[in-house]
Amino acid sequence: MPQARRQERSMVSQDRRAHQRYPAWFPINVRIDDDLNPRAAMLCDISLGGALVWGFWDDQGGERAALEVTFRSDSSSIPARIVSVERQWDTVILHLQFPPGLIEGSPALGGLIEELADHFKAYQVYLAHRADDDPSLGRTATQYPIDRASA
């Protein structure tokens, strides 16, 4: 493998998790390398830098993808580079990278990330309170009412 290619892969792997990922689970369409017909998929998680998409097809795909996302009645096409593909039975899992600054430059897509982040953080608080309420853990919300009121 040429040295430049190895360095490129090394740089990609270092940058892959540069942004917090937020779980999502809603249907989208994907076009691979300018397909005429979109393919059904699920958006599994998303960040400012990329996404994880579960595709309901079994061919390997290509090098580029365009995610067709509808959020709050606003449809967007998000271009991405396919970093890697995992095969799962008769489906594929795409690891995607967005061009730098793409999400930040789009109010609709920025709103999607922000809303997913807010829901994720609220769910984390909910899970923490459930753990607080579990008597087997030795602590209940009634013992610490100030904690409950602050959330």
Side-chain angles (χ1 to χ4, degrees):
M1 177 182 289
Q3 180 69 20
R5 186 83 169 143
R6 268 188 244 140
Q7 287 177 344
E8 181 182 315
R9 283 190 180 176
S10 173
M11 289 173 60
V12 168
S13 65
Q14 291 172 358
D15 294 337
R16 245 178 105 202
R17 299 288 187 254
H19 303 285
Q20 173 72 36
R21 287 190 171 218
Y22 300 105
W25 190 253
F26 57 87
I28 62 171
N29 288 318
V30 177
R31 292 185 192 268
I32 304 293
D33 289 338
D34 302 321
D35 282 345
L36 292 178
N37 297 319
R39 303 171 185 213
M42 294 297 283
L43 181 65
C44 298
D45 71 32
I46 191 168
S47 74
L48 294 175
L52 183 75
V53 172
W54 194 312
F56 303 111
W57 62 88
D58 60 1
D59 62 322
Q60 289 293 328
E63 295 183 16
R64 294 180 334 270
L67 308 181
E68 296 176 353
V69 177
T70 301
F71 176 68
R72 301 268 186 239
S73 301
D74 184 25
S75 295
S76 301
S77 179
I78 308 172
R81 185 173 71 82
I82 299 173
V83 176
S84 66
V85 179
E86 295 177 52
R87 293 185 56 82
Q88 295 286 328
W89 304 285
D90 59 348
T91 64
V92 294
I93 299 173
L94 303 177
H95 298 262
L96 305 173
Q97 183 179 39
F98 300 142
L102 174 78
I103 304 296
E104 297 92 332
S106 168
L109 297 175
L112 168 66
I113 298 288
E114 189 175 312
E115 185 164 327
L116 289 172
D118 290 344
H119 286 296
F120 178 70
K121 290 171 186 172
Y123 189 64
Q124 295 294 357
V125 169
Y126 164 76
L127 289 177
H129 286 166
R130 290 222 24 207
D132 287 347
D133 290 342
D134 187 343
S136 68
L137 298 175
R139 180 176 173 199
T140 66
T142 55
Q143 290 173 301
Y144 299 94
I146 294 171
D147 292 349
R148 178 62 66 156
S150 65

